[in-house]
Amino acid sequence: MTNGPTRRTILIATGATGAAALVASCGDSGGTGDSAPSLSPGQELATTSDIPVGGGTIFKNEEVVVTQPKDGEFKAFSAICTHQRCTVANVSDGTINCTCHGSKFNITDGSVANPPATRPLPEKKITVDGNSIRLA
Ligand code: FES
């Protein structure tokens, strides 16, 4: 009687050829990223002369609207309508206006002047330094 020979199967784990894993990536990493929608804090957004007294200016790329309710008094709000997130379209007659569905917001405090929006435009912090308006 013979027990069958013990068979040993030797698995030789051959290391995958290591060189294949080395993928050189292109070293061009100096992008400027200038298409970013938001402005860095401290960067100049506008000069005071860009903002009409009793009105405002919309900065679509930065998603900010800056108003000047009274001479020398500047405010900034999100330019994204709180109704369904359209970018507000214009500023006239003391209101920031969204033409998607007709909402209006007061230039003094962003509060709703006309529905369907029910929530005010969030205020953004700015600093006015000389004639430079910067996001704080
Ligand atoms: S998204 Fe502005 S009024 Fe509807």
mmCIF file of all heavy atoms in Angstrom, residues 9-63:
data_model
loop_
_atom_site.group_PDB
_atom_site.id
_atom_site.type_symbol
_atom_site.label_atom_id
_atom_site.label_comp_id
_atom_site.label_asym_id
_atom_site.label_seq_id
_atom_site.Cartn_x
_atom_site.Cartn_y
_atom_site.Cartn_z
ATOM 1 N N THR A 9 2.918 21.288 -4.659
ATOM 2 C CA THR A 9 2.901 22.224 -5.761
ATOM 3 C C THR A 9 3.546 23.503 -5.277
ATOM 4 O O THR A 9 3.148 24.073 -4.268
ATOM 5 C CB THR A 9 1.460 22.514 -6.209
ATOM 6 O OG1 THR A 9 0.854 21.290 -6.514
ATOM 7 C CG2 THR A 9 1.424 23.430 -7.382
ATOM 8 N N ILE A 10 4.489 23.823 -5.899
ATOM 9 C CA ILE A 10 5.188 25.037 -5.499
ATOM 10 C C ILE A 10 4.774 26.182 -6.402
ATOM 11 O O ILE A 10 4.944 26.148 -7.607
ATOM 12 C CB ILE A 10 6.708 24.842 -5.558
ATOM 13 C CG1 ILE A 10 7.094 23.729 -4.607
ATOM 14 C CG2 ILE A 10 7.426 26.139 -5.214
ATOM 15 C CD1 ILE A 10 8.525 23.336 -4.710
ATOM 16 N N LEU A 11 4.122 27.063 -5.732
ATOM 17 C CA LEU A 11 3.722 28.232 -6.500
ATOM 18 C C LEU A 11 4.803 29.271 -6.362
ATOM 19 O O LEU A 11 5.148 29.683 -5.267
ATOM 20 C CB LEU A 11 2.409 28.770 -5.975
ATOM 21 C CG LEU A 11 1.231 27.822 -6.123
ATOM 22 C CD1 LEU A 11 0.015 28.414 -5.427
ATOM 23 C CD2 LEU A 11 0.918 27.535 -7.559
ATOM 24 N N ILE A 12 5.275 29.598 -7.393
ATOM 25 C CA ILE A 12 6.292 30.649 -7.343
ATOM 26 C C ILE A 12 5.629 31.961 -7.749
ATOM 27 O O ILE A 12 5.146 32.117 -8.850
ATOM 28 C CB ILE A 12 7.449 30.341 -8.286
ATOM 29 C CG1 ILE A 12 8.093 29.031 -7.882
ATOM 30 C CG2 ILE A 12 8.453 31.482 -8.287
ATOM 31 C CD1 ILE A 12 9.107 28.524 -8.861
ATOM 32 N N ALA A 13 5.557 32.748 -6.746
ATOM 33 C CA ALA A 13 4.957 34.040 -7.044
ATOM 34 C C ALA A 13 5.988 34.912 -7.733
ATOM 35 O O ALA A 13 6.909 35.412 -7.105
ATOM 36 C CB ALA A 13 4.477 34.707 -5.770
ATOM 37 N N THR A 14 5.786 34.983 -8.927
ATOM 38 C CA THR A 14 6.740 35.821 -9.641
ATOM 39 C C THR A 14 6.291 37.268 -9.548
ATOM 40 O O THR A 14 5.142 37.585 -9.797
ATOM 41 C CB THR A 14 6.828 35.425 -11.123
ATOM 42 O OG1 THR A 14 5.523 35.458 -11.657
ATOM 43 C CG2 THR A 14 7.402 34.040 -11.290
ATOM 44 N N GLY A 15 7.152 38.049 -9.115
ATOM 45 C CA GLY A 15 6.816 39.471 -9.019
ATOM 46 C C GLY A 15 6.493 40.029 -10.389
ATOM 47 O O GLY A 15 7.149 39.708 -11.361
ATOM 48 N N ALA A 16 5.450 40.732 -10.409
ATOM 49 C CA ALA A 16 5.100 41.371 -11.673
ATOM 50 C C ALA A 16 6.247 42.266 -12.074
ATOM 51 O O ALA A 16 6.932 42.821 -11.231
ATOM 52 C CB ALA A 16 3.827 42.182 -11.523
ATOM 53 N N THR A 17 6.412 42.329 -13.277
ATOM 54 C CA THR A 17 7.524 43.152 -13.710
ATOM 55 C C THR A 17 7.291 44.585 -13.254
ATOM 56 O O THR A 17 6.343 45.240 -13.661
ATOM 57 C CB THR A 17 7.690 43.110 -15.233
ATOM 58 O OG1 THR A 17 6.444 43.414 -15.812
ATOM 59 C CG2 THR A 17 8.128 41.731 -15.683
ATOM 60 N N GLY A 18 8.100 44.965 -12.339
ATOM 61 C CA GLY A 18 7.878 46.239 -11.653
ATOM 62 C C GLY A 18 7.921 47.460 -12.528
ATOM 63 O O GLY A 18 7.277 48.455 -12.210
ATOM 64 N N ALA A 19 8.596 47.374 -13.577
ATOM 65 C CA ALA A 19 8.773 48.583 -14.372
ATOM 66 C C ALA A 19 7.463 49.089 -14.971
ATOM 67 O O ALA A 19 7.312 50.271 -15.247
ATOM 68 C CB ALA A 19 9.776 48.337 -15.478
ATOM 69 N N ALA A 20 6.499 48.162 -15.116
ATOM 70 C CA ALA A 20 5.261 48.564 -15.773
ATOM 71 C C ALA A 20 4.475 49.561 -14.935
ATOM 72 O O ALA A 20 3.651 50.302 -15.452
ATOM 73 C CB ALA A 20 4.398 47.341 -16.057
ATOM 74 N N ALA A 21 4.720 49.535 -13.625
ATOM 75 C CA ALA A 21 3.939 50.404 -12.763
ATOM 76 C C ALA A 21 4.399 51.850 -12.794
ATOM 77 O O ALA A 21 3.726 52.733 -12.287
ATOM 78 C CB ALA A 21 3.989 49.891 -11.335
ATOM 79 N N LEU A 22 5.509 52.039 -13.344
ATOM 80 C CA LEU A 22 6.052 53.387 -13.313
ATOM 81 C C LEU A 22 5.538 54.206 -14.491
ATOM 82 O O LEU A 22 5.924 54.000 -15.606
ATOM 83 C CB LEU A 22 7.575 53.309 -13.348
ATOM 84 C CG LEU A 22 8.244 54.582 -12.888
ATOM 85 C CD1 LEU A 22 8.917 54.362 -11.534
ATOM 86 C CD2 LEU A 22 9.267 55.032 -13.895
ATOM 87 N N VAL A 23 4.608 55.027 -14.175
ATOM 88 C CA VAL A 23 4.054 55.855 -15.239
ATOM 89 C C VAL A 23 4.494 57.286 -15.004
ATOM 90 O O VAL A 23 4.206 57.870 -13.971
ATOM 91 C CB VAL A 23 2.519 55.772 -15.248
ATOM 92 C CG1 VAL A 23 1.948 56.688 -16.319
ATOM 93 C CG2 VAL A 23 2.072 54.348 -15.449
ATOM 94 N N ALA A 24 5.181 57.746 -15.933
ATOM 95 C CA ALA A 24 5.643 59.121 -15.783
ATOM 96 C C ALA A 24 4.502 60.070 -16.079
ATOM 97 O O ALA A 24 3.810 59.937 -17.067
ATOM 98 C CB ALA A 24 6.799 59.373 -16.747
ATOM 99 N N SER A 25 4.284 60.997 -15.178
ATOM 100 C CA SER A 25 3.247 61.983 -15.459
ATOM 101 C C SER A 25 3.903 63.256 -15.936
ATOM 102 O O SER A 25 5.008 63.584 -15.558
ATOM 103 C CB SER A 25 2.413 62.243 -14.215
ATOM 104 O OG SER A 25 3.227 62.763 -13.199
ATOM 105 N N CYS A 26 3.196 63.912 -16.734
ATOM 106 C CA CYS A 26 3.721 65.142 -17.298
ATOM 107 C C CYS A 26 3.967 66.144 -16.179
ATOM 108 O O CYS A 26 3.139 66.325 -15.297
ATOM 109 C CB CYS A 26 2.732 65.703 -18.310
ATOM 110 S SG CYS A 26 3.328 67.167 -19.127
ATOM 111 N N GLY A 27 5.077 66.782 -16.218
ATOM 112 C CA GLY A 27 5.446 67.656 -15.119
ATOM 113 C C GLY A 27 4.898 69.057 -15.205
ATOM 114 O O GLY A 27 5.298 69.920 -14.448
ATOM 115 N N ASP A 28 3.964 69.303 -16.074
ATOM 116 C CA ASP A 28 3.437 70.652 -16.228
ATOM 117 C C ASP A 28 2.364 70.923 -15.187
ATOM 118 O O ASP A 28 1.200 70.714 -15.395
ATOM 119 C CB ASP A 28 2.869 70.798 -17.646
ATOM 120 C CG ASP A 28 2.375 72.215 -17.905
ATOM 121 O OD1 ASP A 28 2.721 73.111 -17.118
ATOM 122 O OD2 ASP A 28 1.654 72.409 -18.875
ATOM 123 N N SER A 29 2.776 71.374 -14.027
ATOM 124 C CA SER A 29 1.816 71.589 -12.943
ATOM 125 C C SER A 29 1.709 73.055 -12.567
ATOM 126 O O SER A 29 1.268 73.394 -11.496
ATOM 127 C CB SER A 29 2.210 70.765 -11.730
ATOM 128 O OG SER A 29 3.490 71.158 -11.303
ATOM 129 N N GLY A 30 2.093 73.907 -13.434
ATOM 130 C CA GLY A 30 2.093 75.333 -13.094
ATOM 131 C C GLY A 30 0.860 76.091 -13.526
ATOM 132 O O GLY A 30 0.927 77.259 -13.843
ATOM 133 N N GLY A 31 -0.286 75.435 -13.538
ATOM 134 C CA GLY A 31 -1.508 76.087 -13.992
ATOM 135 C C GLY A 31 -1.883 77.265 -13.132
ATOM 136 O O GLY A 31 -1.615 77.285 -11.937
ATOM 137 N N THR A 32 -2.524 78.222 -13.707
ATOM 138 C CA THR A 32 -2.899 79.404 -12.943
ATOM 139 C C THR A 32 -4.279 79.279 -12.331
ATOM 140 O O THR A 32 -4.605 79.980 -11.401
ATOM 141 C CB THR A 32 -2.874 80.650 -13.837
ATOM 142 O OG1 THR A 32 -3.745 80.414 -14.937
ATOM 143 C CG2 THR A 32 -1.481 80.942 -14.317
ATOM 144 N N GLY A 33 -5.124 78.420 -12.879
ATOM 145 C CA GLY A 33 -6.465 78.246 -12.326
ATOM 146 C C GLY A 33 -7.277 79.523 -12.344
ATOM 147 O O GLY A 33 -8.069 79.762 -11.457
ATOM 148 N N ASP A 34 -7.117 80.320 -13.351
ATOM 149 C CA ASP A 34 -7.793 81.607 -13.349
ATOM 150 C C ASP A 34 -9.277 81.528 -13.696
ATOM 151 O O ASP A 34 -9.951 82.528 -13.738
ATOM 152 C CB ASP A 34 -7.061 82.592 -14.265
ATOM 153 C CG ASP A 34 -7.002 82.096 -15.689
ATOM 154 O OD1 ASP A 34 -7.464 80.967 -15.937
ATOM 155 O OD2 ASP A 34 -6.499 82.816 -16.542
ATOM 156 N N SER A 35 -9.795 80.325 -13.891
ATOM 157 C CA SER A 35 -11.221 80.211 -14.179
ATOM 158 C C SER A 35 -12.035 79.920 -12.923
ATOM 159 O O SER A 35 -13.217 79.653 -13.001
ATOM 160 C CB SER A 35 -11.460 79.119 -15.209
ATOM 161 O OG SER A 35 -11.038 77.886 -14.684
ATOM 162 N N ALA A 36 -11.403 79.977 -11.779
ATOM 163 C CA ALA A 36 -12.116 79.698 -10.535
ATOM 164 C C ALA A 36 -13.228 80.723 -10.345
ATOM 165 O O ALA A 36 -13.028 81.910 -10.586
ATOM 166 C CB ALA A 36 -11.156 79.749 -9.358
ATOM 167 N N PRO A 37 -14.407 80.274 -9.923
ATOM 168 C CA PRO A 37 -15.534 81.196 -9.817
ATOM 169 C C PRO A 37 -15.428 82.176 -8.667
ATOM 170 O O PRO A 37 -16.017 83.225 -8.685
ATOM 171 C CB PRO A 37 -16.738 80.276 -9.622
ATOM 172 C CG PRO A 37 -16.166 79.029 -9.055
ATOM 173 C CD PRO A 37 -14.764 78.924 -9.582
ATOM 174 N N SER A 38 -14.676 81.829 -7.649
ATOM 175 C CA SER A 38 -14.661 82.715 -6.501
ATOM 176 C C SER A 38 -13.344 83.465 -6.420
ATOM 177 O O SER A 38 -12.315 83.005 -6.870
ATOM 178 C CB SER A 38 -14.889 81.920 -5.228
ATOM 179 O OG SER A 38 -13.893 80.952 -5.096
ATOM 180 N N LEU A 39 -13.454 84.607 -5.835
ATOM 181 C CA LEU A 39 -12.300 85.480 -5.702
ATOM 182 C C LEU A 39 -11.655 85.225 -4.358
ATOM 183 O O LEU A 39 -12.332 84.985 -3.376
ATOM 184 C CB LEU A 39 -12.828 86.908 -5.771
ATOM 185 C CG LEU A 39 -11.899 88.037 -6.120
ATOM 186 C CD1 LEU A 39 -11.355 87.854 -7.528
ATOM 187 C CD2 LEU A 39 -12.675 89.340 -6.054
ATOM 188 N N SER A 40 -10.365 85.292 -4.314
ATOM 189 C CA SER A 40 -9.686 85.091 -3.044
ATOM 190 C C SER A 40 -9.924 86.295 -2.147
ATOM 191 O O SER A 40 -9.983 87.421 -2.634
ATOM 192 C CB SER A 40 -8.190 84.946 -3.271
ATOM 193 O OG SER A 40 -7.953 83.935 -4.190
ATOM 194 N N PRO A 41 -10.013 86.054 -0.850
ATOM 195 C CA PRO A 41 -10.138 87.176 0.068
ATOM 196 C C PRO A 41 -8.987 88.146 -0.129
ATOM 197 O O PRO A 41 -7.858 87.733 -0.348
ATOM 198 C CB PRO A 41 -10.083 86.516 1.449
ATOM 199 C CG PRO A 41 -10.524 85.118 1.218
ATOM 200 C CD PRO A 41 -10.051 84.759 -0.169
ATOM 201 N N GLY A 42 -9.305 89.415 -0.065
ATOM 202 C CA GLY A 42 -8.273 90.419 -0.202
ATOM 203 C C GLY A 42 -8.034 90.883 -1.620
ATOM 204 O O GLY A 42 -7.387 91.895 -1.839
ATOM 205 N N GLN A 43 -8.548 90.136 -2.582
ATOM 206 C CA GLN A 43 -8.343 90.530 -3.964
ATOM 207 C C GLN A 43 -9.316 91.640 -4.330
ATOM 208 O O GLN A 43 -10.462 91.633 -3.885
ATOM 209 C CB GLN A 43 -8.597 89.303 -4.839
ATOM 210 C CG GLN A 43 -7.950 89.380 -6.192
ATOM 211 C CD GLN A 43 -8.049 88.038 -6.904
ATOM 212 O OE1 GLN A 43 -8.136 86.995 -6.269
ATOM 213 N NE2 GLN A 43 -8.065 88.072 -8.213
ATOM 214 N N GLU A 44 -8.855 92.581 -5.131
ATOM 215 C CA GLU A 44 -9.732 93.687 -5.483
ATOM 216 C C GLU A 44 -10.871 93.203 -6.372
ATOM 217 O O GLU A 44 -10.649 92.518 -7.363
ATOM 218 C CB GLU A 44 -8.946 94.785 -6.188
ATOM 219 C CG GLU A 44 -9.817 95.994 -6.464
ATOM 220 C CD GLU A 44 -9.036 97.149 -7.093
ATOM 221 O OE1 GLU A 44 -8.935 97.178 -8.323
ATOM 222 O OE2 GLU A 44 -8.545 97.999 -6.344
ATOM 223 N N LEU A 45 -12.064 93.562 -5.987
ATOM 224 C CA LEU A 45 -13.251 93.186 -6.754
ATOM 225 C C LEU A 45 -13.627 94.305 -7.715
ATOM 226 O O LEU A 45 -14.010 94.055 -8.860
ATOM 227 C CB LEU A 45 -14.394 92.920 -5.771
ATOM 228 C CG LEU A 45 -15.729 92.467 -6.334
ATOM 229 C CD1 LEU A 45 -15.597 91.103 -7.000
ATOM 230 C CD2 LEU A 45 -16.760 92.398 -5.217
ATOM 231 N N ALA A 46 -13.523 95.518 -7.222
ATOM 232 C CA ALA A 46 -13.965 96.668 -8.014
ATOM 233 C C ALA A 46 -13.373 97.917 -7.406
ATOM 234 O O ALA A 46 -12.795 97.877 -6.322
ATOM 235 C CB ALA A 46 -15.485 96.753 -7.970
ATOM 236 N N THR A 47 -13.553 99.013 -8.100
ATOM 237 C CA THR A 47 -13.237 100.294 -7.484
ATOM 238 C C THR A 47 -14.571 100.973 -7.170
ATOM 239 O O THR A 47 -15.603 100.649 -7.766
ATOM 240 C CB THR A 47 -12.384 101.174 -8.419
ATOM 241 O OG1 THR A 47 -13.115 101.398 -9.611
ATOM 242 C CG2 THR A 47 -11.066 100.518 -8.730
ATOM 243 N N THR A 48 -14.518 101.894 -6.242
ATOM 244 C CA THR A 48 -15.766 102.519 -5.794
ATOM 245 C C THR A 48 -16.503 103.188 -6.962
ATOM 246 O O THR A 48 -17.727 103.230 -6.973
ATOM 247 C CB THR A 48 -15.476 103.548 -4.693
ATOM 248 O OG1 THR A 48 -14.478 104.449 -5.157
ATOM 249 C CG2 THR A 48 -14.995 102.860 -3.422
ATOM 250 N N SER A 49 -15.763 103.658 -7.940
ATOM 251 C CA SER A 49 -16.419 104.338 -9.062
ATOM 252 C C SER A 49 -17.154 103.358 -9.986
ATOM 253 O O SER A 49 -17.916 103.778 -10.853
ATOM 254 C CB SER A 49 -15.406 105.160 -9.851
ATOM 255 O OG SER A 49 -14.392 104.324 -10.348
ATOM 256 N N ASP A 50 -16.912 102.051 -9.790
ATOM 257 C CA ASP A 50 -17.640 101.047 -10.589
ATOM 258 C C ASP A 50 -19.071 100.856 -10.099
ATOM 259 O O ASP A 50 -19.875 100.199 -10.767
ATOM 260 C CB ASP A 50 -16.951 99.676 -10.497
ATOM 261 C CG ASP A 50 -15.580 99.654 -11.155
ATOM 262 O OD1 ASP A 50 -15.372 100.440 -12.106
ATOM 263 O OD2 ASP A 50 -14.743 98.849 -10.731
ATOM 264 N N ILE A 51 -19.362 101.381 -8.908
ATOM 265 C CA ILE A 51 -20.653 101.085 -8.285
ATOM 266 C C ILE A 51 -21.506 102.348 -8.266
ATOM 267 O O ILE A 51 -21.166 103.313 -7.563
ATOM 268 C CB ILE A 51 -20.465 100.586 -6.820
ATOM 269 C CG1 ILE A 51 -19.299 99.585 -6.697
ATOM 270 C CG2 ILE A 51 -21.769 100.001 -6.285
ATOM 271 C CD1 ILE A 51 -19.439 98.314 -7.500
ATOM 272 N N PRO A 52 -22.586 102.390 -8.995
ATOM 273 C CA PRO A 52 -23.405 103.608 -9.008
ATOM 274 C C PRO A 52 -24.105 103.856 -7.671
ATOM 275 O O PRO A 52 -24.546 102.908 -7.017
ATOM 276 C CB PRO A 52 -24.434 103.332 -10.113
ATOM 277 C CG PRO A 52 -24.447 101.855 -10.304
ATOM 278 C CD PRO A 52 -23.101 101.344 -9.873
ATOM 279 N N VAL A 53 -24.166 105.132 -7.274
ATOM 280 C CA VAL A 53 -24.889 105.492 -6.044
ATOM 281 C C VAL A 53 -26.380 105.200 -6.269
ATOM 282 O O VAL A 53 -26.950 105.535 -7.305
ATOM 283 C CB VAL A 53 -24.692 106.990 -5.715
ATOM 284 C CG1 VAL A 53 -25.490 107.372 -4.477
ATOM 285 C CG2 VAL A 53 -23.218 107.283 -5.501
ATOM 286 N N GLY A 54 -26.979 104.546 -5.287
ATOM 287 C CA GLY A 54 -28.391 104.174 -5.415
ATOM 288 C C GLY A 54 -28.615 102.956 -6.289
ATOM 289 O O GLY A 54 -29.745 102.598 -6.598
ATOM 290 N N GLY A 55 -27.523 102.315 -6.660
ATOM 291 C CA GLY A 55 -27.632 101.126 -7.509
ATOM 292 C C GLY A 55 -26.610 100.099 -7.119
ATOM 293 O O GLY A 55 -26.239 99.986 -5.948
ATOM 294 N N GLY A 56 -26.145 99.369 -8.100
ATOM 295 C CA GLY A 56 -25.168 98.335 -7.798
ATOM 296 C C GLY A 56 -24.624 97.719 -9.065
ATOM 297 O O GLY A 56 -25.083 98.032 -10.168
ATOM 298 N N THR A 57 -23.629 96.884 -8.889
ATOM 299 C CA THR A 57 -22.980 96.209 -10.007
ATOM 300 C C THR A 57 -22.873 94.723 -9.688
ATOM 301 O O THR A 57 -22.513 94.353 -8.567
ATOM 302 C CB THR A 57 -21.576 96.808 -10.251
ATOM 303 O OG1 THR A 57 -21.728 98.202 -10.510
ATOM 304 C CG2 THR A 57 -20.882 96.155 -11.430
ATOM 305 N N ILE A 58 -23.206 93.921 -10.674
ATOM 306 C CA ILE A 58 -23.155 92.465 -10.490
ATOM 307 C C ILE A 58 -21.838 91.937 -11.064
ATOM 308 O O ILE A 58 -21.482 92.271 -12.195
ATOM 309 C CB ILE A 58 -24.347 91.800 -11.215
ATOM 310 C CG1 ILE A 58 -25.664 92.277 -10.593
ATOM 311 C CG2 ILE A 58 -24.246 90.274 -11.155
ATOM 312 C CD1 ILE A 58 -26.880 92.012 -11.463
ATOM 313 N N PHE A 59 -21.137 91.164 -10.265
ATOM 314 C CA PHE A 59 -19.907 90.511 -10.709
ATOM 315 C C PHE A 59 -20.231 89.026 -10.861
ATOM 316 O O PHE A 59 -20.222 88.278 -9.885
ATOM 317 C CB PHE A 59 -18.780 90.769 -9.712
ATOM 318 C CG PHE A 59 -18.482 92.236 -9.579
ATOM 319 C CD1 PHE A 59 -19.126 93.004 -8.626
ATOM 320 C CD2 PHE A 59 -17.602 92.849 -10.456
ATOM 321 C CE1 PHE A 59 -18.895 94.365 -8.530
ATOM 322 C CE2 PHE A 59 -17.355 94.222 -10.368
ATOM 323 C CZ PHE A 59 -18.002 94.976 -9.403
ATOM 324 N N LYS A 60 -20.584 88.669 -12.100
ATOM 325 C CA LYS A 60 -21.106 87.315 -12.333
ATOM 326 C C LYS A 60 -20.088 86.230 -12.020
ATOM 327 O O LYS A 60 -20.415 85.217 -11.403
ATOM 328 C CB LYS A 60 -21.582 87.177 -13.781
ATOM 329 C CG LYS A 60 -22.906 87.886 -14.040
ATOM 330 C CD LYS A 60 -23.524 87.423 -15.352
ATOM 331 C CE LYS A 60 -24.994 87.758 -15.443
ATOM 332 N NZ LYS A 60 -25.312 89.138 -15.681
ATOM 333 N N ASN A 61 -18.851 86.442 -12.440
ATOM 334 C CA ASN A 61 -17.837 85.400 -12.205
ATOM 335 C C ASN A 61 -17.615 85.163 -10.724
ATOM 336 O O ASN A 61 -17.399 84.038 -10.296
ATOM 337 C CB ASN A 61 -16.500 85.775 -12.856
ATOM 338 C CG ASN A 61 -16.542 85.620 -14.362
ATOM 339 O OD1 ASN A 61 -17.467 84.994 -14.894
ATOM 340 N ND2 ASN A 61 -15.572 86.199 -15.034
ATOM 341 N N GLU A 62 -17.655 86.242 -9.975
ATOM 342 C CA GLU A 62 -17.408 86.133 -8.540
ATOM 343 C C GLU A 62 -18.688 85.839 -7.765
ATOM 344 O O GLU A 62 -18.655 85.612 -6.558
ATOM 345 C CB GLU A 62 -16.771 87.427 -8.012
ATOM 346 C CG GLU A 62 -15.356 87.667 -8.515
ATOM 347 C CD GLU A 62 -15.309 88.220 -9.941
ATOM 348 O OE1 GLU A 62 -16.364 88.656 -10.452
ATOM 349 O OE2 GLU A 62 -14.224 88.194 -10.557
ATOM 350 N N GLU A 63 -19.837 85.898 -8.466
ATOM 351 C CA GLU A 63 -21.143 85.634 -7.847
ATOM 352 C C GLU A 63 -21.431 86.593 -6.692
ATOM 353 O O GLU A 63 -21.889 86.209 -5.627
ATOM 354 C CB GLU A 63 -21.261 84.168 -7.407
ATOM 355 C CG GLU A 63 -21.119 83.216 -8.588
ATOM 356 C CD GLU A 63 -21.229 81.756 -8.201
ATOM 357 O OE1 GLU A 63 -21.126 81.433 -7.013
ATOM 358 O OE2 GLU A 63 -21.420 80.938 -9.119
#
